[in-house]
Amino acid sequence: MSGACDDAGPLDPESKSFNAGRAGPSALSVMTWNIYVGADLTQLLAIEDPGQIACGVAAVYGDVLATDFDARAVAIADQIEAFAPHVVGLNEVSTFDFIFETIHSDLIFLDVLLAELDSRGLDYVAPIAARSTNFEIELPISYAGDCDPQDLLAYTEYDVLLVQGDVSRIGADNGRFGTYLPLPFGLDPKYSGWAYVDIDHKDLPYRVFTTHLEPADSGPCEPDEELMPVHTGQAEELMGILDASPYPTLLTGDLNSDATGCTTPTYPDLIDDGFVDAWNLGPPLGEGFTSNQDADLRNATSVLYHRIDFILYRDDFTERTGRFRGSAHTDIVGEEQADRTDGGLWPSDHAGVVSDLRSAPGVGHGE
C-alpha cells in the first residue's frame, strides 16, 4: 500500500506553507527524536585488549562531555516549545551513573531535559510505564595512562515517551525485544525495546509507540548482513506488538530502515501492513533526511543523508485502503543552522520529526 491523503491537507497549494485555516479542529501533534547518546559507542567494540577497556570508556565519556547535553537540551526544548506536541517519543535517552563519583557526577539526560522544559513553564511528564529500559552495562573507567580503573560507570539507555500534562492518559506499557545484539568479553548483550502510552484526545483513544531498532547498515544503502538478523528479528517482534493494539496507532522512532527500502525491509513492510507515513501525506515536502550528523556534532553544514526516523499512523481506514482520511502537516526539526547550540553543536546526530494529524471524525474508531 502507498500512503495518501484524501484531503489536500493544511498546506496552502500556492506557498506550500502551513495553513491552519484549512486544517480540521482536532489535531493530534506528535514528535519523534533520537536525541543521541553523545558519542560513538562502537569505539568500544574495536578494543581488542580487555585491559584497555577502562581507558576506552574514559575516551568515550570524554566525547559525551564534549557534545554537551546540557546545551543540546536547550536546543531540543526550543523545538518542543515551538511545536507543542501532545506526545514526544525520544530515543537514546541516556543515564551515566558513576558508582563512586571519584571525578564525575551522574548525568541523566531525562532529568536535564525535563528540568529545561519545566523552566519554560512547559508541563510534560514521562510516565515510568512508558519508558523501555534497553541497554544496561557497567564498565570500569580510568583517568590514568596505565588504565587502572578509578570508578565504575553504569550506562543505561532508554526509549521514553513525554506527554503533555493535560493530556488524558489511559494506559502505558513497555518491554524489550527478545532478539538482541551479543557483545564481546562476556558482557551482557545489547537490547532494544519499545514503549507505548494510550491517550484520550478529543474523546478518541490512540496508542502512541516509540522504539529504536538495531541498525543493520554501514552507510547509505549498505546493508550489513551480520547485523541484519538482529534488526529483522526485532522488527518481526514489533509487528506482532503493533498488531495487538486495540486503538488507532502511531509508531514513532528511529527504525534504522531507510525509507527507500534499500537497507532493510522493515519500512516497506510496515507500509504494507496498513501504516501511512506522515511525511508522505499531502503535497511533497522534500527528501526529509533525518540522519546522521558527525559524531562530534560540529560539522559546519548539515550532512543528513537518509530518512530512518518516522511517524507512522494506522487505523481501520488506512489498513483497508492505504490512505489517510483527513489532513496532516509534518516538519523536520533540528536540522537548520539556527537550531544549533550557542557553541555550534547540532541538537543531535539525528533530526527530529513532528506531525499534526487531523483524522476525519469517526475514521478508524469503529467506523
Side-chain angles (χ1 to χ4, degrees), residues 90-284:
L90 300 175
N91 308 126
E92 291 192 22
V93 182
S94 300
T95 292
F96 298 88
D97 180 8
F98 291 88
I99 305 304
F100 303 109
E101 297 193 7
T102 52
I103 291 182
H104 297 295
S105 298
D106 297 344
L107 174 57
I108 303 172
F109 281 18
L110 183 58
D111 288 355
V112 173
L113 180 57
L114 287 175
E116 178 61 32
L117 294 171
D118 184 65
S119 74
R120 303 170 184 227
L122 304 177
D123 181 18
Y124 280 89
V125 296
I128 292 176
R131 310 177 197 176
S132 64
T133 303
N134 302 330
F135 187 31
E136 296 179 280
I137 195 167
E138 188 174 290
L139 293 170
I141 186 168
S142 174
Y143 312 113
D146 60 6
C147 290
D148 185 33
Q150 277 88 47
D151 207 335
L152 284 174
L153 171 58
Y155 170 67
T156 311
E157 181 253 299
Y158 304 87
D159 296 317
V160 174
L161 287 157
L162 304 183
V163 187
Q164 280 188 4
D166 60 355
V167 170
S168 175
R169 303 191 305 276
I170 54 179
D173 201 2
N174 68 85
R176 284 175 167 172
F177 299 117
T179 309
Y180 55 79
L181 178 67
L183 294 179
F185 306 127
L187 297 172
D188 290 339
K190 181 181 184 296
Y191 286 91
S192 297
W194 53 269
Y196 71 73
V197 62
D198 292 334
I199 62 170
D200 185 279
H201 177 69
K202 303 291 184 181
D203 295 322
L204 296 174
Y206 297 88
R207 177 164 290 182
V208 185
F209 277 89
T210 184
T211 193
H212 183 191
L213 301 180
E214 196 68 33
D217 64 292
S218 53
C221 293
E222 297 176 4
D224 187 320
E225 296 305 322
E226 291 186 7
L227 293 175
M228 190 65 70
V230 178
H231 174 95
T232 55
Q234 292 176 353
E236 289 172 3
E237 292 182 57
L238 176 64
M239 292 281 204
I241 295 164
L242 293 169
D243 287 345
S245 172
Y247 307 132
T249 300
L250 290 108
L251 172 62
T252 78
D254 176 359
L255 300 187
N256 273 308
S257 182
D258 195 283
T260 65
C262 69
T263 53
T264 81
T266 300
Y267 173 82
D269 284 351
L270 286 163
I271 300 303
D272 286 345
D273 206 34
F275 281 92
V276 293
D277 183 346
W279 184 253
N280 293 331
L281 300 179

